[in-house]
Amino acid sequence: MTARAVALRSAPGAGPEPENTPEQLLARTALGDEHAFAALYDQLAGPIFGTVLQVLRSRAHAEEVTQEVLLEIWRKAATFDAGRGRVQTWALTIAHRRAIDRVRSEQAGVNREERADRLDLRRPYDDVTETMLDRHDRAQVRAALTVLTDLQRESILLAYFQGYTCREVSEKLGVAVGTVKTRMRDGLVRLRDALGVHR
């Protein structure tokens, strides 16, 4: 992103430039444009985190789900139908659905444990499988984060988990905005490869 674009985005009341609307960024992301995705998550990470946090009330769980949502947006960019609404609405719908799914999954786990305690019976195979797959997905994401350099991981965690913009991350880390974007872009590519996500 150019210095002019950054300045315009930072100005009070200024929205994204026409070529950097969420809709256009997502369309370019669907074609594998990593720069476009870096700009898109800069716009969406904060609102997604806020939506998820309202449902989960747990910052740690909200951070995990926010990362899952952003990875889903990266994977499903090509499936977005502009005729059905705005990108931010679509993204926040995914976020809300993921957050509700997490609540249901956590509650289902509690319910299964309570039933097992009361009945002292072995849980059904499907319940065990579902629990193990959920744990595997989370472990896979955590393992993928370890392939990043410290600088990449630090930048991505601040943007994804804390909801900071690229400018805020640069101020927090004391590095240039361009450096932050490069770290995050390269880190996302490595995460994608580590998770086996193909364009």
Side-chain angles (χ1 to χ4, degrees), residues 41 45-46 154-165 169 184:
Y41 78 64
E154 190 175 21
S155 298
I156 287 174
L157 290 177
L158 284 170
Y160 274 96
F161 293 157
Q162 306 296 323
Y164 289 108
T165 64
V169 172
M184 289 199 256

Side-chain angles (χ1 to χ4, degrees), residues 165-178 180:
T165 64
C166 282
R167 178 172 293 281
E168 290 168 336
V169 172
S170 76
E171 290 170 356
K172 194 165 184 65
L173 299 181
V175 295
V177 173
V180 168

